[in-house]
Amino acid sequence: MEIEVKDLCVSIQGKKILEHASLSMKSDEITVLMGPNGSGKTTLGMAIMGYPGLAIDSGEILVDGKSILGMGPDERAKLGIFMQFQEPIEIEGVNLENFIFAAKTAQSKVSARQIEEDIEKAIKILDLKEEMLKKDVNVGFSGGEKKKVEIMQMLVLKPKFAILDEPDSGLDVDTLKKVAEAINMYEKESHAGILLITHYTRILSYINPTKVYVMDKGKIVASGGRELAEKIEREGYGFIEG
Amino acid sequence: MLEWLGDFGELEKERGELYKRHGRPIPIRFEDKSSGREKGTSKDYDIVAFSSEHASSVESEGMSIASDAEIIRLTEDVSNPLTISIEDGKEVTMNIALIFDSSLPSKIKIRLGKHASLDIYETFSSNFSSDGILSQEMELDESSKLNLVALHKEPANANYALLSLVHSGKNAEARLTNVFAGGNKLHHSTIGVVEDGGSIASSTVAVAGSSQIIDLSSLLVNEGRNSSIESLTRAVVKDNSECLVKELAKVRQSAEEASTYIEEKGLLLNDGASFVPMPDMAVDTNNVANASHSSAVFPLGKKSIFYIMSRGVSEGNARQLFATGFLEKLLTGKFGSEKGKIMLEEAEASLNSKLRS
């Protein structure tokens, strides 16, 4: 799968958030999107996933050459796009296991046994407790558990392209390592494309990016390889203003 | 006349004060009479009670009635109500169908003797979309147990008023579950009184749609020592519908070590929907184990729907997932017996159908 964001301008209630943002990503690659707080990184991820609260003023989002702008988030998910959220919402009364079953069966025809096996495997990889499956989705989960549960959903839903929005924020070293291992393993096994959104470089100690983009004030202001992330590690984001 | 109803006038006055304080946003009016038939009910009942201005026998299309079912015509003579009386020490489980095709008032009395137990599952429906008025008196003698589950699935253009009077005697337990999945304008009033060591646990689940108005009000009185009252309400409100919940918990001076709790929660599925919680308390003793209330309104936001849809679930199913999850909490554990399980399926199907409509 190849995703191209072309000259994208996005606003929220009249306020411009993205201005002529362009980048391309594809399967088997880990693309990292970095930038200071409020630079528009999450908005870009939400725009690709189809959040209805955003106004697409101009530009295109193409998947394998075809526009997805007219598609709802559920249709984009069925194409194979997945988003891990920074702050996933709580769903009272719906247990996690049922939610994953509902999501998986909405996307593809797969046996209940297969879903159970995939859930079991994901739980082991992420070192999650099995009892969590019986709890309401994200209700009472710690910050680390929420991140892990989001990654667990990715492992079970098996998307072709995953947008991971700050999977590293607020995690202790051990949890960060587990989450990074799961992302690496998934990328290698499934050959999926990954867009990793972060403003810290510490997750890059465990994940090797193919490309790095830097965003500031809604624009892509720099692109390169791992060396760009290393520069940010050394110098911070000050250089992008120069 | 029940002795405890001697205080009824005073309780009514207190309820009037509650309205005075909060206003009465909904006048009790019953109009929009029109015909319409409900189809697809298929269940065996122990008692089929009906009130009809149209027919002298039960003619409920699609309704299967067990051969030994008692068929009773409810009359407007409220001094001669349908009475379900359980003798001391007896345990009974029953299904009742209540078909309202008359706007004339009807009355049901449930009486439990000492140490008696009754699991009763009531299904309210109507064949002609009539307006209905029903009062239901429940009197529990010492150490008796009542589990009453009422499923309201009247047609969408039926208007009705219900009055539930509950007296939980010494060490008696009343568990009341009302599921509102039908009707148009609906007013449900509950007056409950609990004696020493007795309890009332009331759960109300409602879905309001298609510009419907659901008006729920309660006056719950801890009369005796160590008495306990809990009233939980959850409503999903959609379209331009309104749901109002006004409850006053009163702990009398005699009710030492009593506990009372009111919880009112509403989920709004869209902008035009409205849920107005009004919990209130009046505690006349200094020695109370617990007296608290909570209320909350949850508007279902774009981000919440987006989260579910990002997993491949359609918008309609995403809304339904939230709504059923929200209501499920109050339905869990209320349907213990085999008849109860059938009732739970029916209640869930009715709620889901209303959520989808």
Side-chain angles (χ1 to χ4, degrees):
Chain A
M1 177 181 275
E2 185 171 11
I3 297 186
E4 274 183 279
V5 176
K6 289 174 98 174
D7 223 14
L8 193 69
C9 294
V10 171
S11 58
I12 300 175
Q13 292 174 334
K15 189 183 173 194
K16 288 180 181 174
I17 308 292
L18 296 183
E19 293 192 62
H20 304 284
S22 295
L23 67 162
S24 66
M25 302 153 284
K26 60 181 179 185
S27 300
D28 246 340
E29 285 186 0
I30 297 181
T31 304
V32 172
L33 180 62
M34 301 184 77
N37 282 329
S39 57
K41 306 183 299 293
T42 294
T43 301
L44 180 70
M46 300 275 264
I48 296 170
M49 198 69 238
Y51 177 54
L54 303 175
I56 308 292
D57 300 323
S58 61
E60 262 300 353
I61 301 172
L62 306 171
V63 171
D64 296 331
K66 287 180 188 162
S67 174
I68 58 164
L69 288 182
M71 297 173 98
D74 52 332
E75 293 167 291
R76 296 182 198 205
K78 284 174 188 166
L79 274 185
I81 303 172
F82 171 89
M83 184 164 182
Q84 169 253 310
F85 290 80
Q86 262 187 64
E87 287 294 335
I89 54 124
E90 297 181 355
I91 314 173
E92 202 186 356
V94 178
N95 77 41
L96 180 60
E97 190 173 31
N98 288 348
F99 177 61
I100 295 174
F101 264 79
K104 185 71 184 173
T105 50
Q107 291 190 27
S108 55
K109 278 186 184 170
V110 58
S111 72
R113 182 72 211 125
Q114 185 60 54
I115 300 173
E116 277 170 9
E117 280 175 14
D118 289 344
I119 291 174
E120 211 172 298
K121 190 177 162 192
I123 278 178
K124 276 188 191 150
I125 290 168
L126 288 156
D127 202 15
L128 276 164
K129 288 177 187 146
E130 212 171 316
E131 316 72 279
M132 291 194 77
L133 292 170
K134 301 296 172 203
K135 291 185 178 173
D136 292 354
V137 180
N138 295 321
V139 178
F141 292 7
S142 69
E145 284 170 336
K146 283 181 182 172
K147 300 278 183 197
K148 281 183 173 182
V149 163
E150 289 284 287
I151 298 299
M152 182 181 92
Q153 290 178 49
M154 176 187 79
L155 298 180
V156 177
L157 296 175
K158 300 178 182 169
K160 292 177 191 161
F161 191 89
I163 303 158
L164 308 179
D165 190 5
E166 296 190 14
D168 50 343
S169 65
L171 299 187
D172 60 48
V173 179
D174 291 339
T175 310
L176 175 66
K177 208 174 161 190
K178 275 273 170 228
V179 165
E181 278 170 9
I183 296 168
N184 277 329
M185 188 215 73
Y186 182 68
E187 194 269 332
K188 283 196 179 73
E189 280 185 5
S190 68
H191 304 288
I194 289 180
L195 172 62
L196 176 63
I197 298 171
T198 183
H199 51 234
Y200 298 115
T201 52
R202 63 178 192 150
I203 194 169
L204 301 182
S205 308
Y206 309 104
I207 286 174
N208 196 23
T210 319
K211 277 187 286 187
V212 176
Y213 288 97
V214 181
M215 180 170 251
D216 186 42
K217 294 172 187 152
K219 294 174 185 166
I220 300 292
V221 292
S223 62
R226 189 179 181 88
E227 72 290 347
L228 183 55
E230 285 164 358
K231 188 177 178 183
I232 291 167
E233 173 73 17
R234 283 194 311 272
E235 302 173 19
Y237 288 109
F239 76 94
I240 57 179
E241 287 167 10
Chain B
M1 190 69 171
L2 300 172
E3 274 175 35
W4 65 278
L5 283 181
D7 210 12
F8 184 76
E10 193 195 326
L11 296 179
E12 273 291 77
K13 219 187 289 168
E14 285 173 6
R15 197 159 60 122
E17 281 168 20
L18 174 70
Y19 280 127
K20 232 185 273 170
R21 249 179 287 162
H22 298 295
R24 178 193 277 278
I26 299 177
I28 308 175
R29 278 181 292 133
F30 292 92
E31 50 194 27
D32 306 329
K33 265 193 177 184
S34 58
S35 66
R37 295 177 74 84
E38 187 189 46
K39 291 180 182 176
T41 306
S42 178
K43 197 167 58 175
D44 288 337
Y45 295 97
D46 302 291
I47 296 174
V48 176
F50 74 102
S51 67
S52 177
E53 288 171 306
H54 309 276
S56 57
S57 64
V58 175
E59 286 183 83
S60 47
E61 194 172 308
M63 181 170 278
S64 129
I65 299 164
S67 54
D68 55 353
E70 203 175 337
I71 298 171
I72 295 161
R73 186 175 186 195
L74 294 170
T75 68
E76 63 273 23
D77 177 9
V78 289
S79 63
N80 185 25
L82 161 64
T83 303
I84 297 161
S85 197
I86 311 298
E87 290 170 26
D88 291 358
K90 281 264 169 83
E91 287 182 19
V92 175
T93 298
M94 64 166 67
N95 275 342
I96 289 194
L98 293 150
I99 305 157
F100 285 96
D101 286 327
S102 166
S103 55
L104 298 169
S106 307
K107 188 171 178 180
I108 297 173
K109 256 186 181 180
I110 296 173
R111 290 184 129 156
L112 271 69
K114 285 177 184 152
H115 300 277
S117 166
L118 174 65
D119 264 344
I120 183 165
Y121 299 96
E122 298 177 339
T123 306
F124 289 76
S125 63
S126 165
N127 288 313
F128 298 101
S129 315
S130 283
D131 305 336
I133 300 173
L134 173 79
S135 72
Q136 187 156 234
E137 276 183 25
M138 292 156 260
E139 193 189 12
L140 283 70
D141 208 337
E142 195 178 327
S143 302
S144 60
K145 285 184 185 174
L146 170 68
N147 177 35
L148 180 142
V149 180
L151 170 60
H152 299 267
K153 42 187 229 171
E154 293 85 349
N157 48 2
N159 304 305
Y160 50 98
L162 304 162
L163 172 64
S164 299
L165 303 167
V166 195
H167 179 232
S168 185
K170 196 175 171 188
N171 298 322
E173 291 174 32
R175 273 208 322 181
L176 314 171
T177 305
N178 278 285
V179 179
F180 294 103
N184 178 27
K185 287 173 189 158
L186 135 74
H187 180 91
H188 184 207
S189 278
T190 304
I191 294 179
V193 177
V194 189
E195 303 292 351
D196 289 0
S199 66
I200 294 178
S202 164
S203 302
T204 303
V205 171
V207 175
S210 309
S211 303
Q212 191 179 4
I213 295 173
I214 296 183
D215 182 7
L216 307 169
S217 65
S218 301
L219 175 63
L220 302 163
V221 183
N222 288 84
E223 190 81 54
R225 288 177 63 88
N226 296 308
S227 56
S228 160
I229 289 178
E230 180 187 73
S231 177
L232 311 175
T233 304
R234 288 204 176 197
V236 173
V237 191
K238 57 179 199 161
D239 310 325
N240 289 314
S241 299
E242 282 182 271
C243 180
L244 298 104
V245 189
K246 301 178 288 289
E247 290 180 286
L248 172 61
K250 187 157 183 69
V251 183
R252 296 259 194 239
Q253 205 165 11
S254 53
E256 292 186 340
E257 294 295 326
S259 71
T260 185
Y261 177 64
I262 293 175
E263 184 183 287
E264 301 165 353
K265 289 185 175 177
L267 177 69
L268 309 179
L269 292 192
N270 51 276
D271 288 343
S274 153
F275 178 80
V276 184
M278 289 182 248
D280 201 355
M281 284 198 166
V283 181
D284 296 337
T285 174
N286 290 325
N287 184 13
V288 64
N290 174 48
S292 58
H293 61 74
S294 76
S295 60
V297 185
F298 306 100
L300 191 51
K302 274 183 191 162
K303 280 193 178 165
S304 302
I305 294 289
F306 173 58
Y307 179 74
I308 308 258
M309 290 179 75
S310 77
R311 300 301 188 244
V313 178
S314 70
E315 186 173 349
N317 287 342
R319 284 179 191 279
Q320 187 143 352
L321 198 64
F322 271 106
T324 49
F326 180 75
L327 299 176
E328 197 64 38
K329 283 272 169 193
L330 288 200
L331 296 175
T332 309
K334 305 289 191 309
F335 301 83
S337 67
E338 204 47 49
K339 281 181 176 169
K341 281 172 193 154
I342 294 167
M343 183 77 160
L344 175 61
E345 279 174 26
E346 194 179 354
E348 285 176 336
S350 301
L351 291 168
N352 282 333
S353 152
K354 185 134 186 220
L355 286 167
R356 275 195 301 269
S357 68

